[in-house]
Amino acid sequence: MSEKEKTPGQLLKEKLFRNPKNAGRTLSDEEIKAAFDYCEGYKEYISKCKTEREFVDWCIPILEEQGFVPFEPGKKYVAGDKVYK
């Protein structure tokens, strides 16, 4: 339909309404691959961590790998210490 054939309502709709583009049509192949790679890690996470307890069991080795240590009541800590509870 050309601009001349459109009704005033159709022209107003084009002006006011959003017309989002599908990300799959606008992203580069590298960006799509990066998104899929990220999703693989997330799928692994949601497959292994169905409950809070499973999440904690999954998370502790990652925290310790990053330098975190278990919180100990009564121990003095300074700002910046990496602890988990």
Side-chain angles (χ1 to χ4, degrees), residues 6-19:
K6 291 183 181 179
T7 66
Q10 290 170 325
L11 294 171
L12 184 61
K13 179 182 175 185
E14 287 177 5
K15 186 176 180 180
L16 297 177
F17 282 51
R18 287 186 65 229
N19 189 13

Side-chain angles (χ1 to χ4, degrees), residues 42-58:
Y42 181 68
K43 289 191 307 188
E44 177 186 348
Y45 159 74
I46 61 173
S47 295
K48 292 182 178 180
C49 302
K50 302 281 186 201
T51 66
E52 292 87 351
R53 190 170 33 250
E54 290 173 332
F55 167 76
V56 170
D57 292 341
W58 176 80

